[in-house]
Amino acid sequence: MRQGSSLRFGRPFVVGAFLLALVVPALAAERKRESPSERFEKMDRNHDGKLTADEVGNPILFHMLDLDGDGSVTRTEAAGALSEIETSRRWAKYEPKADAGASNAPFAEALHAVPAAALGVGKRVEPIDARDLDGHRRRLFPAKDDKALVIAVVSSSCPLSGKYAPVLARLEAEYRARGVGFAFVAPVATDSAASLAEMRRANDWKGPVFADPKRAIASSLGVRTTTEVFVCDASGTLRYRGAIDDQYGLGYARAEARAHPLADALDAILDGKEPPMTATTAPGCVVESTATKPTKPTRATYHRDIARLMQAHCVECHREGGLAPFALGNYREVVGHAGMIRKQVERGAMPPWFAAPGHGVEFANDRSLPDPDRALLLAWLDSGRPEGDAKEAPLPRRYDPEWLIGKPDAVFQIPKPIAIAAEGVMDYQEAFVDTGLSEDRWIGAIEIQPTARAVVHHVLVFALKAGERKGKRGDDAADEQAGFFAAYVPGNSAQTFPTGFGKRMPAGTRLRFQIHYTPNGRATNDQIRLGVRYLKSPPLHAVHVLGLANPLIEIPAGSPRHAEFAGAQLPHEARILAFMPHMHVRGTAFRYDLVQADGKSRVLLDIPRYDFNWQLSYRCTEPVAATAGSRVRATAWFDNSTGNPANPDPARVVHWGRQTFEEMMIGYIEYYFPDEAP
């Protein structure tokens, strides 16, 4: 982005030149069935993949296309400029009032090989005697007739362990027939015997399950996570420890596994060979060893200090009946998950908040841990974790079990349940609901409720005109540019507009639900619904949403950091209320800039580490003023390399598409026009 450019984007002659030079040729090319890419090739006379000022032939146009100011125009920059023209047409139409005038390390973690000797591979596993869930005393060691024994670490509260539960069931069924025994160890103290018994029943495990709340077995084995497996041969020698496979990891899921280290190790042992891989990491929930000693004393206590931090930053999701896989509402629950809390806080994954500070825009829904609170929490976790005096505890938070917005005036539910697979990756699902509205209504509050929240990644709801199945042009890009009507992400399912603000739902509106499900190891059904509360009278300001979308993205195969652009010029003075960036699993960073008519730019929101698992909205504490003629520009960065654990296929050139293995580049903006008459 150029700083301090003297180019005045808002002047009519510049816009006219831009449209004549780009749009008119593009339309002519379309009539001749010539794609924008083909037109770029024609302009690129020396075929070096870049356009010079001479090749473009118009200096004003060239400067507008040269988004990064390096003196040349790439195909990506040209596509971004074309997308900006199209998006600029999609600001809300209105009648004025009568008196009006870039990346850090990814969050995703996959398995990788680690030195085996330091993890005890090659040594004898000491026999462990313990009682299983049924009360039978058993020895955790290869039985007389076992050719090998798999000890699988499991947890009923860890989402990754849940995803791997049916995988373990299949492996057990396959290898038991070949003389391999299986046993399951559950070291999370807060996993009840009843939840573990249900996990065993649902997956039809045949081997014994050992509840290990005091982590005696886990400490003997040196368990690291809730997805780790140990393979002993008939003599009790540890031959492999690590991950089951690489289908699931922290922050990603694949349609199928690429590496199968557990199965490979078993096949090798049964064939009398050395496993090809003997030790790996095992992405999952952290299991602490009982041998871990406090490193620092602390004056903080759970009841006086930590409970309040949990309420402020975690309990909204981590509570009974909440969106998170386990609760953090009391001392036992926090201590039981202390290892995973430390890991996620240290790497900046929790609480989920990814906006970089220091750009002058503050956000009302900022979930981040202030540095003093972060230091306090980590110090308490590293200490003896004193509980303190219960008399100093905060009052418990209460949450409405039904609707956060209160009783809705209308509820619109998709017509039939959607079946959610137990495993793998599901394509985006669509459903349509006719509202039956006979007149326009103004919405003051809106909430989306899945009936199976544990498997819902995010939901976008689009308001279509009567009889319209898709957006104006009948394609997804047009829908995205026109903006969503309502959105749902974990921890952000409801929105109540401030006094004086509302969103219009026109008569005859048809709702299109776009739903992304993430299987969690158990098949289920979901029948999502949307609740709204109506305003009694029109608001002072109408809230709109615009999507800065670039449907012409082209991400090169293997590229570790590829930038794409989108933007739109403001036709009138506006106030920006919120931002919501959207990419898929190759997205790594995102930024919004406001470019004034004189070319000076200002960063509005910078997300240096984008996480696909959290489609967050960033709501401004104060509306951001944007003058007529200025531009809001979005820049997205993608990692299509083998270094991205979540990448479905690094060898593929990636284009726009709704499914996770494709990509999107959308910067949603919620805004209003201060002089608009609703």
Side-chain angles (χ1 to χ4, degrees):
M1 182 75 63
R2 296 185 306 280
Q3 301 292 323
S5 168
S6 61
L7 198 63
R8 298 191 63 83
F9 295 107
R11 290 183 177 178
F13 78 89
V14 174
V15 176
F18 194 27
L19 291 174
L20 287 172
L22 271 179
V23 177
V24 173
L27 291 174
E30 185 176 342
R31 286 194 296 270
K32 299 175 183 177
R33 299 189 179 276
E34 182 180 71
S35 69
S37 179
E38 290 171 330
R39 176 156 186 80
F40 185 95
E41 294 292 342
K42 285 186 176 181
M43 295 178 71
D44 184 17
R45 293 193 294 270
N46 62 357
H47 306 293
D48 64 349
K50 299 178 181 179
L51 300 180
T52 64
D54 288 340
E55 288 173 322
V56 172
N58 183 317
I60 297 177
L61 173 61
F62 175 78
H63 284 296
M64 295 185 71
L65 292 174
D66 184 15
L67 298 179
D68 59 8
D70 68 350
S72 63
V73 176
T74 64
R75 191 187 310 271
T76 296
E77 289 174 302
L82 284 167
S83 176
E84 184 169 323
I85 294 174
E86 175 60 29
T87 308
S88 293
R89 298 167 50 213
R90 296 185 175 276
W91 292 100
K93 304 294 191 298
Y94 78 99
E95 291 296 329
K97 295 177 182 177
D99 58 349
S103 179
N104 295 308
F107 286 108
E109 285 186 19
L111 71 85
H112 61 267
V114 292
L119 294 174
V121 176
K123 296 181 179 179
R124 185 174 186 266
V125 173
E126 292 301 317
I128 304 171
D129 293 319
R131 292 191 183 277
D132 66 13
L133 279 183
D134 299 321
H136 301 136
R137 193 160 190 84
R138 295 178 180 269
R139 171 158 288 195
L140 199 57
F141 197 75
K144 181 179 179 181
D145 297 328
D146 284 347
K147 297 177 181 178
L149 172 67
V150 176
I151 302 172
V153 185
V154 298
S155 168
S156 58
S157 60
C158 174
L160 278 176
S161 187
K163 290 181 178 182
Y164 271 117
V167 179
L168 286 171
R170 285 197 303 276
L171 290 169
E172 182 186 29
E174 177 183 351
Y175 284 96
R176 277 176 67 91
R178 299 173 63 185
V180 178
F182 275 71
F184 305 87
V185 176
V188 177
T190 52
D191 290 348
S192 67
S195 68
L196 293 171
E198 172 57 23
M199 192 177 191
R200 175 182 63 181
R201 184 205 64 76
N203 294 283
D204 198 25
W205 293 337
K206 303 301 183 185
V209 179
F210 298 88
D212 187 32
K214 295 184 178 180
R215 302 194 297 281
I217 301 174
S219 292
S220 177
L221 292 170
V223 168
R224 296 170 293 168
T225 72
T226 55
T227 61
E228 190 170 17
V229 292
F230 299 76
V231 180
C232 306
D233 62 18
S235 71
T237 301
L238 182 62
R239 303 288 297 279
Y240 170 78
R241 66 178 293 182
I244 299 166
D245 60 35
D246 66 347
Q247 183 174 8
Y248 306 110
L250 288 178
Y252 80 88
R254 293 173 177 155
E256 57 185 28
R258 300 172 186 168
H260 305 81
L262 172 57
D264 292 344
L266 290 174
D267 289 339
I269 292 169
L270 293 175
D271 289 342
K273 300 176 181 178
E274 186 67 16
M277 190 177 291
T278 54
T280 75
T281 57
C285 299
V286 174
V287 176
E288 291 187 306
S289 170
T290 55
T292 302
K293 300 295 183 182
T295 58
K296 302 175 184 176
T298 181
R299 297 181 60 186
T301 70
Y302 172 77
H303 288 302
R304 187 184 63 231
D305 306 292
I306 305 306
R308 289 175 169 83
L309 291 184
M310 293 292 114
Q311 284 191 353
H313 300 283
C314 309
V315 175
E316 176 186 2
C317 296
H318 286 274
R319 57 184 171 85
E320 291 299 327
L323 299 166
F326 52 81
L328 294 174
N330 58 47
Y331 176 75
R332 181 171 176 268
E333 291 168 344
V334 172
V335 170
H337 295 281
M340 198 59 182
I341 294 172
R342 180 195 288 111
K343 177 183 177 72
Q344 296 293 72
V345 169
E346 285 181 338
R347 74 191 194 111
M350 288 286 168
W353 186 258
F354 311 112
H359 293 297
V361 178
E362 295 183 342
F363 300 99
N365 60 332
D366 187 343
R367 286 191 175 106
S368 62
L369 268 176
D371 288 342
D373 290 350
R374 183 178 184 274
L376 181 71
L377 175 58
L378 292 175
W380 182 81
L381 291 170
D382 288 338
S383 73
R385 300 166 191 168
E387 184 173 4
D389 187 350
K391 294 179 181 178
E392 296 180 327
L395 295 174
R397 291 280 180 92
R398 301 190 182 280
Y399 296 90
D400 192 318
E402 186 66 11
W403 293 92
L404 296 177
I405 62 172
K407 184 179 179 181
D409 295 313
V411 176
F412 307 103
Q413 189 166 32
I414 63 175
K416 60 182 181 179
I418 295 174
I420 315 303
E423 302 176 70
V425 176
M426 285 184 64
D427 288 346
Y428 276 50
Q429 303 294 303
E430 265 192 356
F432 296 86
V433 177
D434 289 312
T435 61
L437 290 180
S438 58
E439 61 179 354
D440 291 5
R441 299 302 301 261
W442 285 97
I443 308 301
I446 193 164
E447 181 174 352
I448 298 174
Q449 281 195 354
T451 58
R453 288 185 293 185
V455 295
V456 178
H457 180 274
H458 75 273
V459 182
L460 292 178
V461 180
F462 300 90
L464 308 180
K465 293 181 179 180
E468 190 176 39
R469 180 169 177 81
K470 293 282 189 178
K472 211 174 236 185
R473 299 184 315 187
D475 60 55
D476 296 316
D479 289 355
E480 304 293 358
Q481 289 169 335
F484 59 80
F485 180 72
Y488 168 96
V489 296
N492 186 17
S493 61
Q495 181 179 5
T496 298
F497 296 108
T499 301
F501 290 83
K503 187 173 285 189
R504 186 195 300 270
M505 181 183 279
T509 291
R510 193 171 192 234
L511 300 176
R512 179 170 75 92
F513 288 74
Q514 182 194 92
I515 314 165
H516 180 203
Y517 291 107
T518 53
N520 66 352
R522 299 191 64 177
T524 187
N525 293 289
D526 178 63
Q527 192 171 7
I528 206 159
R529 59 182 182 169
L530 172 77
V532 298
R533 297 191 68 178
Y534 297 133
L535 295 175
K536 292 182 171 60
S537 58
L540 182 64
H541 299 297
V543 176
H544 307 286
V545 177
L546 180 75
L548 306 178
N550 182 355
L552 303 177
I553 58 174
E554 183 173 276
I555 305 169
S559 175
R561 189 166 175 83
H562 173 77
E564 293 281 357
F565 308 94
Q569 185 179 42
L570 282 96
H572 312 281
E573 180 182 359
R575 300 289 185 272
I576 299 173
L577 299 170
F579 307 91
M580 192 175 102
H582 177 73
M583 300 180 286
H584 292 169
V585 295
R586 294 175 177 87
T588 59
F590 204 98
R591 192 180 72 214
Y592 291 84
D593 292 278
L594 179 63
V595 184
Q596 303 290 351
D598 62 2
K600 294 180 179 179
S601 67
R602 170 194 178 191
V603 177
L604 300 178
L605 171 63
D606 181 24
I607 301 172
R609 296 176 73 191
Y610 174 84
D611 187 352
F612 173 66
N613 298 284
W614 293 95
Q615 307 287 319
L616 298 184
S617 174
Y618 298 83
R619 309 201 67 80
C620 305
T621 303
E622 296 291 335
V624 175
T627 58
S630 60
R631 276 185 167 79
V632 182
R633 176 161 289 157
T635 307
W637 288 269
F638 299 89
D639 182 355
N640 195 21
S641 73
T642 56
N644 177 2
N647 193 348
D649 185 0
R652 176 183 176 184
V653 177
V654 183
H655 297 97
W656 175 279
R658 282 189 302 159
Q659 305 307 333
T660 308
F661 58 83
E662 300 167 314
E663 267 303 337
M664 281 188 169
M665 187 266 169
I666 311 168
Y668 290 111
I669 296 173
E670 187 177 274
Y671 67 96
Y672 71 95
F673 293 123
D675 62 343
E676 176 183 5

